[in-house]
Amino acid sequence: MAAETPVVDARLQNGAVETHCAYCALQCGMSLTVDGGESSVEVAPLDFPTNRGGLCQKGWTSADLLRSPRRLTSPMIRDSRSEPFREVSWDVALDVVADGIRSTQAKHGNDAVAVFGGGGLTNEKAYQLGKFARVALRTSNIDYNGRYCMSSAAAASNRAFGIDRGLPFPLPDLAESGAVLVMGGNVAETMPPFMQHLNAVRDAGGDVIVADPRRTATADQATLHLQLMPGTDLALALGLLHIVVADGHVDRDYITSRTTGFDDVWRVATQWWPERVERVTGVPVAAQRATVRALATGRAGRGAVVLTARGAEQHSKGTDTVTALINLSLALGLPGRPHSGYGCITGQGNGQGGREHGQKADQLPGYRKIDDPAARAHVAGVWGVPPETLPGPGRSAFELIESLGTEHGPRSLLVHGSNLVVSSPRSHRVADRLAALDQLVVCDLFMSETAALADVVLPVTQWAEEDGTMTNLEGRVIRRRAAVQPPPGVRTELEVMADLAARLGRADGFSADPRVVFDELRRASAGGVADYSGITWERIDSEDGVFWPCPSEDAPGRSRLFTDGMFPTPDGRARLVAVDHRAIAEEVDTDYPVYLTTGRILQHYQSGAQTRRVPALTDAAAEPYVDIHPDLAARHGMANGDLVRIVSRRGDAVGKARLTTAIRADTVFMPFHWGGEQAINRVTNAALDPTSKMPEFKVCAVQLERVDSQPAMEPSGAVVAGQA
């Protein structure tokens, strides 16, 4: 029997409900005012520390999702993928899923069933999904789309600092800095309210330096733009460190007292003199020196910060690139100082919390390692199971996808909060692997490109229809509050997991109440790196959120890390790790002579499964474009507005040419928010970082073709499902 859908708090129905945006990790504060019949919802920004009264176009239109006519409201199944879906009751749908799980595991073993999660799930759902996989399914095969987002920065931060928190300080601290270097981030489009913090640095006379192959909206507002060649961020980081040392900017006292490994790092960096870096990256020597001077001057004044984002991280050497930038920040003595340090700009709404509590293949709640006996014993005790029954580490996201339907891979897959057909590299191959499954089950709000390939589709609640917590890019745990009732027939994913667990003989321990689940999460995370044990919903409500780690209800959350002079490593010191530049996985050649890079645009989010259903956003950006330098376009006989086919060794995608001098003449850019023929991830390279298992989304070799036909589109801007 399913638990009842939680009733929206009556106290909140009578006025504006304070909550947070449906999208990115900035998690802007907003209020929702609902009319008496719930037919309309008005959005207003709140003066929350991250957005300070600002919202982007996505945030302003986020309530449109709540009453979308394309919303899924009934479970659907089909007997074969050549047949159309038919609506069924929840009992029928869940019985089909449970029968499929039992049958698959009886034939092929526990690991024959896999789970794929998402960085937009609440902490409660992410936590219970990890528990469901390991206790109810007893499978090691669980990972999530955050592997495509934060994994390189997480791996580098863990090995340098012993902890992974996107920003080790509150975001408003950034505005007090004297210099900020942003490597591979375009926050002016991806999270516009973030820009007020960067602009405050510039307006106070400080420096904002942006490294990006494109002159993005963020680079346009910077004091200096480093227009590097795609895939050369690591060489640039090594070169900046070389200048720091050669020009006498190293903080020797800091290095001696708070770090280890500097000599090994310097032996590599000494080979990256400025002129060599210019030849490799295209960044002039003068710009390299200006960057180091700005950081050194900022450090001596108000402070200096080095930030990374996906442009630097989504590479087959992303972990080493972030490591080199952490080395740079440590050599300057930044981490732990006021308004200074290294930080990662988290992308997905719960990209931070989503990776802390068990969705990742190698982790247990509290950011514990799943192969650590003490961690297994603690979590097993909370879950009431013997430690030896917990499975070990599983496959990372793309490795998991590649194994689907193979002889030794999973035969059944449950997908929560992810549109992996659009968001994964080499997406033609991803669709083939999903087609090889015996059973594909997708929980979603809409018929996404991935849901369109499923055997069972389960309609679930979205952001303003459920209570829960999120952890934003600062490590601040915040509350999402239900403002409206979900449509009839829609259930929460906590209910789905509880009902399935009961059908699989695990009725105990899987609650549909998010508060109950959060309280269990607190116990499971206690003593871990990401310790939430002292965080309660009541504290979050009264304190504008609570930072982790927070080991007791009497302790304040740690909003600023490393300020006591210590790092959470065995010896209390930060580790500088020697890394060297290496070529991208696929260099250009005569057959594929152009670099491709990808990213997000202002109007859309991730795979577009939500934003492509919002009319105002699709009116503003109905289809993808291809940024091409006029010189490159001329060599290919292309004009502005022409349809362009981008072709790699893996596949092709189509978009409209947008001629601009804001991009390098050897590079094209295309956003990744669309499916079908417009899905640029049909083209991207799945070469993996050996440490983080991050695919190399940000650069590959392509050729360009002019085409004359337009891909078929649905009115909403979503590609027709049959073409996914």
Side-chain angles (χ1 to χ4, degrees):
M1 176 69 68
E4 293 183 5
T5 300
V7 176
V8 178
D9 189 327
R11 177 180 60 85
L12 299 179
Q13 286 183 349
N14 297 326
V17 178
E18 293 188 359
T19 188
H20 295 270
C21 183
Y23 299 113
C24 78
L26 202 58
Q27 285 296 286
C28 294
M30 60 167 58
S31 67
L32 303 179
T33 302
V34 185
D35 72 9
E38 292 195 358
S39 60
S40 68
V41 181
E42 292 186 6
V43 174
L46 294 177
D47 188 18
F48 196 72
T50 54
N51 61 307
R52 290 182 166 173
L55 286 178
C56 72
Q57 188 176 10
K58 294 185 290 293
W60 280 112
T61 60
S62 56
D64 291 1
L65 292 169
L66 300 172
R67 293 296 175 261
S68 170
R70 306 188 67 192
R71 185 76 181 276
L72 298 176
T73 59
S74 178
M76 292 182 290
I77 65 172
R78 54 185 174 182
D79 298 323
S80 75
R81 294 182 191 145
S82 63
E83 299 179 14
F85 286 106
R86 66 180 187 276
E87 294 185 357
V88 296
S89 69
W90 272 98
D91 280 341
V92 168
L94 292 174
D95 283 345
V96 168
V97 175
D99 288 346
I101 291 170
R102 281 192 292 264
S103 174
T104 298
Q105 291 188 323
K107 292 177 183 177
H108 305 288
N110 292 344
D111 281 351
V113 178
V115 178
F116 200 94
L121 301 180
T122 63
N123 287 318
E124 292 78 8
K125 291 191 288 188
Y127 167 81
Q128 186 139 294
L129 191 62
K131 179 182 178 181
F132 177 80
R134 290 164 178 125
V135 175
L137 298 178
R138 296 158 297 157
T139 180
S140 67
N141 281 319
I142 175 171
D143 212 83
Y144 78 127
N145 63 15
R147 181 75 69 170
Y148 299 160
C149 179
M150 294 292 300
S151 58
S152 291
S157 293
N158 275 323
R159 74 184 183 184
F161 302 128
I163 193 170
D164 159 37
R165 202 178 84 184
L167 294 183
F169 46 74
L171 184 56
D173 280 11
L174 193 67
E176 303 301 319
S177 297
V180 180
L181 170 62
V182 181
M183 294 288 297
N186 182 20
V187 292
E189 290 201 71
T190 60
M191 45 181 68
F194 190 110
M195 281 303 297
Q196 62 189 302
H197 303 284
L198 288 181
N199 288 339
V201 175
R202 184 199 60 199
D203 294 346
D207 291 285
V208 176
I209 306 110
V210 174
D212 200 298
R214 299 188 298 142
R215 192 176 69 246
T216 62
T218 308
D220 263 343
Q221 299 178 61
T223 54
L224 179 62
H225 175 209
L226 310 179
Q227 194 167 28
L228 74 170
M229 184 181 295
T232 62
D233 308 71
L234 178 49
L236 178 59
L238 291 165
L240 296 178
L241 178 59
H242 181 105
I243 295 171
V244 166
V245 178
D247 289 3
H249 297 302
V250 173
D251 188 329
R252 297 287 180 182
D253 290 341
Y254 185 100
I255 289 293
T256 300
S257 63
R258 299 191 62 180
T259 74
T260 63
F262 177 79
D263 290 344
D264 291 338
V265 166
W266 172 236
R267 271 192 287 273
V268 177
T270 189
Q271 305 168 53
W272 287 93
W273 56 92
E275 291 77 13
R276 182 188 180 194
V277 172
E278 179 174 351
R279 288 197 300 272
V280 172
T281 68
V283 177
V285 171
Q288 297 174 47
R289 293 194 182 280
T291 299
V292 172
R293 282 197 304 272
L295 292 172
T297 300
R299 175 193 64 183
R302 301 198 306 165
V305 174
V306 177
L307 297 175
T308 65
R310 306 303 81 72
E313 299 162 12
Q314 286 181 323
H315 294 274
S316 58
K317 54 180 181 289
T319 302
D320 286 353
T321 298
V322 177
T323 295
L325 291 160
I326 290 174
N327 290 343
L328 174 67
S329 72
L330 289 168
L332 287 164
L334 304 181
R337 283 186 164 166
H339 315 129
S340 298
Y342 161 77
C344 171
I345 304 171
T346 307
Q348 294 192 77
N350 201 28
Q352 182 71 56
R355 68 182 183 275
E356 292 168 357
H357 298 302
Q359 282 190 100
K360 210 172 168 199
D362 58 350
Q363 286 180 193
L364 289 172
Y367 225 126
R368 289 180 162 91
K369 300 295 289 183
I370 199 168
D371 55 3
D372 176 358
R376 294 170 63 84
H378 172 81
V379 174
V382 174
W383 289 349
V385 298
E388 61 272 15
T389 64
L390 297 179
R395 298 175 172 98
S396 69
F398 192 78
E399 293 171 316
L400 175 58
I401 292 169
E402 277 287 281
S403 72
L404 296 175
T406 63
E407 181 181 359
H408 300 293
R411 306 293 310 179
S412 176
L413 178 68
L414 284 67
V415 178
H416 294 257
S418 186
N419 189 12
L420 60 163
V421 169
V422 176
S423 62
S424 299
R426 202 167 65 174
S427 54
H428 269 321
R429 171 75 173 172
V430 174
D432 290 343
R433 299 287 15 106
L434 294 178
L437 290 167
D438 296 336
Q439 185 181 67
L440 174 61
V441 181
V442 176
C443 290
D444 214 325
L445 319 175
F446 302 103
M447 185 60 75
S448 68
E449 286 80 0
T450 303
L453 303 178
D455 302 288
V456 181
V457 179
L458 303 176
V460 292
T461 52
Q462 59 174 308
W463 65 292
E465 298 165 352
E466 59 187 14
D467 289 313
T469 62
M470 307 282 279
T471 306
N472 74 356
L473 78 173
E474 311 162 293
R476 186 194 304 257
V477 185
I478 58 176
R479 281 256 282 122
R480 274 198 177 164
R481 298 177 179 87
V484 298
Q485 296 285 0
V490 172
R491 293 187 180 179
T492 72
E493 277 161 296
L494 292 181
E495 290 178 79
V496 172
M497 286 181 258
D499 280 352
L500 279 176
R503 282 170 165 80
L504 296 172
R506 292 284 183 175
D508 295 334
F510 290 91
S511 175
D513 185 334
R515 186 184 290 268
V516 171
V517 176
F518 186 76
D519 284 343
E520 183 179 298
L521 180 160
R522 293 172 58 206
R523 297 194 302 276
S525 72
V529 174
D531 190 334
Y532 282 37
S533 59
I535 303 175
T536 65
W537 282 18
E538 290 75 18
R539 283 193 66 181
I540 295 171
D541 291 345
S542 64
E543 298 179 29
D544 255 349
V546 182
F547 289 85
W548 70 263
C550 185
S552 75
E553 293 186 36
D554 298 327
R558 289 284 302 279
S559 60
R560 296 174 180 86
L561 304 180
F562 320 138
T563 56
D564 59 358
M566 300 292 289
F567 296 90
T569 58
D571 61 3
R573 293 169 176 261
R575 305 179 188 94
L576 290 99
V577 179
V579 294
D580 201 356
H581 177 68
R582 57 186 183 273
I584 59 177
E586 182 182 63
E587 276 286 5
V588 295
D589 55 24
T590 54
D591 293 327
Y592 299 91
V594 179
Y595 293 108
L596 165 72
T597 190
T598 68
R600 283 173 49 191
I601 63 174
L602 176 65
Q603 291 81 11
H604 291 294
Y605 179 70
Q606 301 302 84
S607 74
Q610 295 166 279
T611 53
R612 284 187 278 126
R613 272 75 178 181
V614 176
L617 299 179
T618 55
D619 288 347
E623 57 189 347
Y625 56 82
V626 181
D627 272 350
I628 308 177
H629 192 281
D631 293 347
L632 181 60
R635 291 200 295 273
H636 287 80
M638 295 172 180
N640 202 57
D642 284 351
L643 278 178
V644 176
R645 187 179 306 279
I646 299 177
V647 183
S648 75
R649 292 175 174 86
R650 292 155 296 280
D652 63 296
V654 175
K656 281 190 175 179
R658 188 174 78 168
L659 272 56
T660 174
T661 58
I663 194 164
R664 294 172 54 95
D666 56 5
T667 303
V668 294
F669 166 86
M670 186 169 169
F672 58 77
H673 308 294
W674 285 266
E677 290 184 39
Q678 299 174 314
I680 192 59
N681 278 327
R682 290 160 38 135
V683 175
T684 50
N685 196 350
L688 300 183
D689 181 300
T691 302
S692 68
K693 307 301 182 181
M694 168 75 81
E696 189 150 82
F697 286 105
K698 287 302 180 189
V699 60
C700 68
V702 300
Q703 57 181 244
L704 307 179
E705 300 173 359
R706 186 178 179 278
V707 296
D708 298 316
S709 60
Q710 176 72 29
M713 300 282 290
E714 291 184 279
S716 71
V719 177
V720 176
Q723 298 178 344

